[in-house]
Structures are given as C-alpha cells and as structure tokens.
Amino acid sequence: MQLSVIILNYNVRYFLEQCVYSVQKALAHINGEIIVVDNASSDDSCQMMRTKFPDVTLIVNQDNLGFPKGNNIGVAQAKGEYICILNPDTVVAEDTFVKILASIGKSIPLNVGIIGCKLIDGTGRFLPESKRGVPTPWVAFTKIFGLYKWFPTTKWFNQYYAQHLTKDENGQVDILVGAFMVMKKELYLEVGGFDENCFMYSDDIDLSYMIHKLGKANFYFAETTVIHYKGESTVRDVTYMKRFQEAMQFFYGKHFKKSIVFDYIMRFGSIIFSFFKKTQQQNRAVPIDEYVVFSRNVNFQIPIAEDKKIGYLTDFNLFAPDSKKKIEVIFDTTTFSFKEISSFMHSKATKHITFKNYIATSNYCIGSNDANDRGEVLFLK
C-alpha cells in the first residue's frame, strides 16, 4: 500500500465529513487507505462515519487522548509505506497525493523527511505557517512579541515563517505544520512519532525538529493547495491558554539549554501570546448582501435565504463581483472539483467575499469567514 491518511477527529462532524469526502477523491488513483481516529467526540461524528463511510477504518477512543497519542494510535494501524497526518478541518485537492508521491526523487529530494504543502484558510488567504524555521529562543521571541511585523524586511526578525521561500516556491524548510504532513511511516516510527508528553500545539514543531536533527530535509511543496479552516476543534478558553503555555514550555525544555532568565521570558511571552490568540477568536457574523452559487448543473437550485439575491453561474470566468457588496460564494462540490475550488478561492481572496462548500450527501454548506474564528455550517431545508 502506498499511502495511509490518518485523520484525528474531535467534535467536528461536518468538517470531518467534507474532509473524508475530499480524501476519498484524492485517493481514487492511489493504493491507499483512510484511518479516522476519534478522540471521544460528544457529537455524532462516529455515527456519521459508520453510516456514510462504512469502508473507512474508524478507531474510537473512550477518552480525549490528545493530538500526539491519537495520531500515534492511527499510525500503528497504518499499512501504507507513506502516511499523511491530516486535520479534519481540511480539504485536499484531487491531485494532492498523486503530485506529492510522483515528485519524490524529482522536485522533492529522495532523502526527504516531512513533506508539507501550500495551505490556505477558508477565506482563500495563504497561511504563513505552511513553512517555518526552527523556533530557537531568539526566533520564538521575535514571533511572540511581534517583531517580525515591525521589521518585515529584516532577516534577523523574520526567520519564523521561512521567508527564504515565497509561498509559490518549492524548497527545504525546517518546520511544517501538523494539519498536513506526509512522510514515510518508518521515519515516523524511527523518531517515536509524536511525543505523547505534549497534549497538543507544539507536537508538530517537535516532530519536524526531531526529523530535521536526523539530517533529513523537510520540504515545502508549493505545487498543490490544501484548505485548512483552522481551530475547529479548539475553543480558545482558559484550558486553551493553559495547554498552549504548557506546549511551548515543553518544546523549549526538551530541546534547548535551560536558563532561568529565558524560562521567565518564555513564560511571560507564552501568556501574552496565548491571550492574544484567545482574543482573536470572535466568531464574527458576516452580513451577506448577495449569494453567488457555482454549479455546472444548470438546473441546480439551493434554498439559502429568501430575502437575498441569489445568482447562479456555471463558469468561474463569469464572476464579476460588486466590490461594494458582501458576497458569499457557494460551490456545488458535485460539479466542481476541490482543486478548482481552492484555486478560485486563493485567486479571489478579499475581505468582501466569503466562501462555502455545498455537501450534497448531508445537504449543508460549510466554510469559515475568518482564519481566527470557528467555522460555519448552514443547514438547508
């Protein structure tokens, strides 16, 4: 078997359905499997998986075991030569896995460690955490205190987001994000997988750094795009702040020399940074002036809002939005591919356009209006 896709789920039933649907399409021409590990969700994620995806391997944990242990359990069951660690709040393009596997030994070096790709959020904007540098104490300091924003052209302050590469360039990076990681299973097991001493948040940095220290080339592959809605399983509350601070302290305690001064700086910085991240999550309600629905089925109709204008288009080239209006674009995923959708979203990323995908199997629209907010599910009649 070529590839095992491991999806760890926690209470994101509708994003999970969309994710698995996209992965099935992406595995159409690959000898692969999907393994969903559920970390004791209280929604009907498991029942949905059993009903709609009976051929997918489902592992049900009785407790929320955290990101590292949950993924390690999934990898232990994997049969593929390669594994993909994938968040449930993602959508992969139909050719994502084919492109990556075909490029190993060509544009991707044979001694590759982890392979990541271009990630965009639910508004179509590029996510800079798609490629990162090693967060040494100094690099972490510039990130936590926002120095990279104050000095955007100074290399000394801009190492966190691996700015030696543009978002459209392939190349070696040190750290990749846990929302999407492809690597050989044997390499994952060689370093012990995700460190279960960390519940979540710094686990992807830790795994990337351990593989980097082996001399493997972690690689950012810009030739395919994955949508990552971000934070769907996370409510940024007091528990979030506590776990985020613990995660940062775990990573620096494990990999860098102990210093009382540095320890106090990082504790203070992690409190500020986690508080800032918490306040970013506002779940903004976006007023919609007009809906534009893309479907290649000329008879397609969708009951969204009776008091709003709804326009139907069959071709992306026909889209001519009014910049003075808030427009919600809805994609019929039965007639447009996820590759087409993600490309269009990225090309039209702007503040006055939001996006939703229509999932016919459960008759709902799903998306996210802001990278810092939880997503939105619109249930249709």
Side-chain angles (χ1 to χ4, degrees), residues 187-208:
L187 176 61
Y188 184 92
L189 297 177
E190 181 181 345
V191 296
F194 287 114
D195 191 328
E196 295 179 12
N197 291 309
C198 177
F199 190 82
M200 60 193 309
Y201 298 128
S202 69
D203 32 59
D204 52 355
I205 300 175
D206 178 59
L207 182 66
S208 297

Side-chain angles (χ1 to χ4, degrees), residues 106-353:
K106 298 174 184 176
S107 58
I108 299 175
L110 278 174
N111 71 327
V112 69
I114 303 172
I115 304 165
C117 72
K118 182 189 294 183
L119 300 176
I120 62 172
D121 65 20
T123 69
R125 292 178 174 84
F126 173 71
L127 289 169
E129 60 263 34
S130 299
K131 51 183 182 65
R132 291 177 286 181
V134 175
T136 62
W138 167 250
V139 172
F141 183 84
T142 64
K143 166 62 176 173
I144 289 171
F145 291 97
L147 298 181
Y148 69 101
K149 294 180 180 179
W150 290 94
F151 305 97
T153 60
T154 305
K155 181 180 178 181
W156 186 244
F157 297 104
N158 283 272
Q159 300 173 51
Y160 188 84
Y161 287 127
Q163 292 184 350
H164 65 287
L165 297 175
T166 71
K167 63 184 175 67
D168 298 317
E169 287 182 295
N170 293 342
Q172 184 173 339
V173 297
D174 298 323
I175 307 296
L176 293 161
V177 65
F180 181 93
M181 288 179 155
V182 173
M183 71 199 83
K184 280 196 170 184
K185 179 183 175 181
E186 65 179 6
L187 176 61
Y188 184 92
L189 297 177
E190 181 181 345
V191 296
F194 287 114
D195 191 328
E196 295 179 12
N197 291 309
C198 177
F199 190 82
M200 60 193 309
Y201 298 128
S202 69
D203 32 59
D204 52 355
I205 300 175
D206 178 59
L207 182 66
S208 297
Y209 190 54
M210 288 193 295
I211 290 175
H212 169 74
K213 290 197 298 182
L214 284 180
K216 296 289 185 179
N218 293 329
F219 196 85
Y220 170 71
F221 185 70
E223 296 174 35
T224 189
T225 301
V226 169
I227 304 170
H228 180 208
Y229 294 99
K230 295 191 65 175
E232 293 311 315
S233 299
T234 303
V235 177
R236 290 177 178 170
D237 54 13
V238 175
T239 301
Y240 163 83
M241 293 179 67
K242 180 176 181 291
R243 285 178 175 166
F244 189 88
Q245 293 166 39
E246 290 173 346
M248 294 182 70
Q249 291 160 16
F250 159 80
F251 179 75
Y252 289 103
K254 178 177 177 178
H255 293 290
F256 296 97
K257 186 182 294 185
K258 293 291 288 182
S259 163
I260 295 176
V261 175
F262 173 70
D263 187 53
Y264 276 113
I265 290 174
M266 292 308 299
R267 284 176 185 271
F268 177 67
S270 65
I271 291 171
I272 293 175
F273 189 65
S274 57
F275 178 78
F276 175 70
K277 297 294 285 185
K278 176 181 180 292
T279 58
Q280 284 183 320
Q281 191 174 54
Q282 299 176 19
N283 293 324
R284 304 162 181 83
V286 178
I288 303 300
D289 297 317
E290 181 181 339
Y291 290 91
V292 175
V293 179
F294 282 100
S295 177
R296 291 192 172 100
N297 178 359
V298 295
N299 297 315
F300 184 78
Q301 296 288 315
I302 189 168
I304 309 169
E306 296 178 357
D307 61 333
K308 304 292 183 183
K309 179 182 177 182
I310 304 175
Y312 289 86
L313 297 175
T314 59
D315 191 318
F316 287 150
N317 293 322
L318 301 175
F319 186 59
D322 184 341
S323 61
K324 296 180 180 179
K325 293 182 178 180
K326 291 287 187 180
I327 297 172
E328 178 115 298
V329 172
I330 296 177
F331 304 102
D332 173 14
T333 59
T334 64
T335 61
F336 281 91
S337 70
F338 287 119
K339 180 181 179 180
E340 291 173 311
I341 291 168
S342 62
S343 177
F344 181 81
M345 288 172 59
H346 192 38
S347 69
K348 301 298 180 183
T350 180
K351 291 182 179 179
H352 71 278
I353 301 177

